[in-house]
Amino acid sequence: MNTHDREHELQTLLRQEADRVEVPGDFGPVAIAKHRRDQRNRALVGAVVAVTAIAIAVPNLWSGRGSGPVPAHPTASPSPTGWFSSAWTRSNTYAVDDTIRAADVVVHLRKGTVVESFAVLANGGFVLQSHLSTPNAGTDLEILRPDGKTVRALGEGGAYVVSPEATRVLVKSGTSNAVTVYAADGTVVAQRQDPREAGAVVGDVAYLNGDETQGSLEWNLSTGAARKLPAHVVAVSADRTRAALSWTVASDTFEDFCWAVVDLTRPGFPKTIERCGQKGNPSMFQPTAFSSRGTYLVGSHYVDGGFWFSAGVVRVSDGRVVVGGDQAHLVSGWSWHLEADESTFVISRNTSTPVSPATRNTLQRCTLAMACTQAQPPLAVKDPNGFTEPRYVVPR
């Protein structure tokens, strides 16, 4: 049984378990992320496995297709500089099927490519996480030029985060303990061996997410200096003064989801806010990024068995839920980001009625008050092997 088959079996078991408890989703991707971390630990003593992680609300559920670089075929002329960097911005770019689009510029990826997640870099290039729509296909991670050509193949599986200024990419290998930071052009900035996961990168400082036994780590890319931080760092503010933590605590029924914000400028890194468990964090919020000015945390509330998430925005100062929450306030979708203005977000949204099973996918732009306009028409979602895949993907 290969990794994909084991995950398929795990998902089936999780869905069966979810049917027996009154929860709004089966938390499959969360469980698989934990399953993969356990596999990584075992790999250190002999077995090589592929590892992915949940990020900006996209479930990465595949590993290792082992194919070559993605050949892109732009259908518009390049800019006078020879690239498309003037066209691509985080705000106006999205992927649909095997293309990346911005305004009238379209880059065609290899036919049959399924974009799982991507990010727009400061030079107009991309980080692309994708797999082919073939049986047992797995994830490849790459850095692309603005025209879509691969400049750095980052390997099979793995997980990545991008700095707020989009000049650095922090990658944790899917097959080893290598942690590498790349520049937007694909060159290596720094590398180390570390069992921790990719947490955040801001400027020339990277943050590695460790558990209670390891602690997290602040890593200065210029000097190599390291500082131990509290466990479970998943995001850091653009001014590097605060970090968001996200962790789970075993409970009688499943796992309780917890999050906190810590002050990185004070001794002992005190928590300025903490929400934990059914009473403290009833919507099961899991942060993944700070907003541009640090006012909000963006993340996910919970996940459905068909693999859509409930988009979440909470206020950092007091933990108040601004977007999403319980079933009465669902904003279900697959990927989204809060814009730099901190007042609007773009979402690859599930507009099915009922929301589960998901059948339709649209691209929308919404205010925090949930006044939404449709940016792209609805499309039928893909459903390979019973796992719903969106047609539209929004950059991180």
Side-chain angles (χ1 to χ4, degrees):
M1 181 182 293
N2 60 30
T3 301
H4 181 272
D5 292 333
R6 286 194 296 271
E7 290 174 0
H8 194 297
E9 181 181 51
L10 177 60
Q11 284 292 349
T12 301
L13 292 173
L14 287 167
R15 273 196 284 270
Q16 291 171 347
E17 180 67 19
D19 289 339
R20 298 193 289 108
V21 296
E22 295 182 357
V23 294
D26 70 4
F27 304 101
V30 176
I32 280 188
K34 182 178 185 300
H35 174 65
R36 293 257 182 120
R37 286 194 296 272
D38 292 342
Q39 282 185 311
R40 182 192 294 280
N41 291 336
R42 287 193 291 272
L44 297 180
V45 291
V48 176
V49 297
V51 180
T52 61
I54 295 176
I56 312 292
V58 185
N60 304 319
L61 301 175
W62 320 93
S63 59
R65 81 171 180 243
S67 62
V70 176
H73 305 287
T75 58
S77 300
S79 67
T81 62
W83 304 114
F84 294 91
S85 56
S86 60
W88 307 116
T89 69
R90 186 176 186 234
S91 182
N92 71 6
T93 304
Y94 65 96
V96 59
D97 296 334
D98 53 10
T99 63
I100 299 176
R101 299 168 181 251
D104 60 346
V105 179
V106 180
V107 169
H108 288 273
L109 306 174
R110 174 179 297 171
K111 184 175 177 60
T113 294
V114 177
V115 177
E116 297 176 20
S117 75
F118 76 109
V120 180
L121 299 175
N123 67 348
F126 310 99
V127 183
L128 177 68
Q129 197 162 36
S130 67
H131 64 271
L132 293 175
S133 55
T134 54
N136 298 325
T139 292
D140 268 358
L141 185 59
E142 299 157 299
I143 294 178
L144 309 181
R145 292 189 325 203
D147 65 350
K149 299 293 185 180
T150 300
V151 296
R152 174 74 69 164
L154 305 180
E156 303 173 357
Y160 75 97
V161 292
V162 176
S163 64
E165 63 277 9
T167 59
R168 297 286 186 262
V169 183
L170 170 63
V171 176
K172 179 59 182 282
S173 169
T175 57
S176 73
N177 276 334
V179 183
T180 309
V181 177
Y182 298 92
D185 63 2
T187 57
V188 174
V189 175
Q191 188 175 60
R192 66 182 285 138
Q193 292 294 314
D194 202 294
R196 299 171 181 87
E197 303 295 330
V201 58
V202 182
D204 281 333
V205 181
Y207 298 85
L208 306 183
N209 177 358
D211 60 22
E212 290 86 352
T213 60
Q214 303 162 327
S216 299
L217 194 74
E218 181 184 86
W219 171 30
N220 188 303
L221 306 178
S222 299
T223 66
R227 177 174 67 149
K228 191 172 181 179
L229 298 179
H232 311 302
V233 169
V234 295
V236 174
S237 61
D239 61 5
R240 298 204 295 261
T241 62
R242 290 172 295 179
L245 316 181
S246 181
W247 71 99
T248 59
V249 177
S251 66
D252 292 339
T253 55
F254 208 81
E255 286 185 320
D256 284 337
F257 292 81
C258 304
W259 67 273
V261 175
V262 297
D263 187 339
L264 294 179
T265 68
R266 295 169 58 190
F269 313 115
K271 292 177 180 176
T272 59
I273 189 169
E274 182 175 8
R275 297 287 184 266
C276 196
Q278 294 296 309
K279 293 182 179 179
N281 188 29
S283 62
M284 305 175 196
F285 179 69
Q286 300 166 74
T288 53
F290 281 89
S291 60
S292 59
R293 296 175 216 143
T295 309
Y296 303 106
L297 278 170
V298 182
S300 304
H301 287 291
Y302 45 76
V303 62
D304 175 77
F307 300 140
W308 51 258
F309 288 73
S310 174
V313 177
V314 303
R315 197 162 59 193
V316 170
S317 60
D318 57 8
R320 184 176 74 84
V321 175
V322 177
V323 173
D326 60 23
Q327 290 192 7
H329 301 93
L330 277 177
V331 186
S332 64
W334 289 268
S335 57
W336 59 91
H337 67 253
L338 190 62
E339 297 277 61
D341 61 12
E342 291 193 330
S343 64
T344 58
F345 65 96
V346 181
I347 180 170
S348 169
R349 193 171 184 184
N350 171 17
T351 52
S352 309
T353 304
V355 293
S356 187
T359 58
R360 295 192 309 164
N361 181 208
T362 60
L363 194 67
Q364 293 187 355
R365 184 177 298 273
C366 303
T367 68
L368 294 184
M370 289 310 299
C372 298
T373 58
Q374 185 168 285
Q376 295 296 329
L379 295 173
V381 298
K382 299 176 182 178
D383 191 23
N385 303 316
F387 298 139
T388 300
E389 291 178 344
R391 302 283 293 282
Y392 296 108
V393 179
V394 172
R396 294 182 177 181

